Each structure stands twice: as structure tokens, then as C-alpha cells.
Amino acid sequence: MGASCNDQRKAVAICLQRSPCVMIERNTPKKCLEDPKLQKDLPELCIAQMKAFIECKRGMVDMTKRFTGNGPLSTGKNNEQYENLCSGNFDPREEMKKVER
């Protein structure tokens, strides 16, 4: 069950790395999430993915999901994007276009 939130975590990380708060204003993703002024400017997609991640983490300790499970294990669909963004191997203009979609 510990790996069931990996996809959501990576989706949040990718979305935050593509957000104008990080790409243009050069803030850290942590600061974008913690500062209320910066949090207002985050794209709706990032906020929705963060809520999904929080619900997934909450589901890990929820006893009603003890037998049914929290969710599927990580599929690894975001691994390549996550690695490219972490290593700096990306085009910022292309990443900004992906957020606008």
C-alpha cells in the first residue's frame, strides 16, 4: 500500500515544476504550496492533483479501506517525465504549453 500514491505524487511534482510559480518566478515547489499568495496562482490542475494525492495518503490510514485497498500500485506512467524534469532535461517553453492545455 505504500507505493499506491507514487503516481499521484509524481503527477503533483510534474505539475508544480511546470507551473508559472516555478518556471517563471523561480520559486521552489515547496514555497509555491506553502505560501498562500503563491498558492492562489497555481493552475487548477495542480490543485486538483494535490487534493487527489492528499486523499490517497489519507486512504492509507483509513481503516474502511483496509480490506479493499487504497488503489492500484504505481503504474510508472509519469516516471520518464519526472526524471526529465528532475534532471533539467526539458524545454521550458514546451512545459509551459503543456500547463496551458
Side-chain angles (χ1 to χ4, degrees):
M1 238 166 85
S4 63
C5 298
N6 276 348
D7 284 341
Q8 285 91 352
R9 181 181 57 85
K10 287 183 181 179
V12 169
I14 289 169
C15 188
L16 285 173
Q17 287 289 346
R18 290 178 177 165
S19 71
C21 181
V22 174
M23 295 288 280
I24 296 173
E25 298 171 18
R26 307 305 292 168
N27 295 310
T28 63
K30 183 177 181 179
K31 187 174 180 181
C32 292
L33 285 176
E34 291 177 351
D35 189 0
K37 292 178 185 176
L38 296 175
Q39 197 173 21
K40 291 178 184 176
D41 297 332
L42 285 177
E44 292 293 321
L45 177 64
C46 293
I47 294 169
Q49 288 177 339
M50 187 64 187
K51 287 180 181 178
F53 176 64
I54 290 170
E55 286 299 317
C56 182
K57 294 297 270 186
R58 186 175 294 139
M60 290 176 71
V61 295
D62 187 7
M63 292 306 286
T64 60
K65 294 185 179 184
R66 182 175 174 194
F67 294 111
T68 59
N70 191 27
L73 291 177
S74 176
T75 59
K77 67 179 181 178
N78 295 324
N79 287 347
E80 185 178 340
Q81 290 177 342
Y82 182 74
E83 292 300 323
N84 286 341
L85 287 172
C86 288
S87 65
N89 185 19
F90 64 93
D91 180 20
R93 289 179 186 88
E94 289 297 319
E95 298 300 325
M96 290 297 293
K97 289 178 185 176
K98 290 177 184 177
V99 170
E100 291 172 359
R101 284 190 227 149

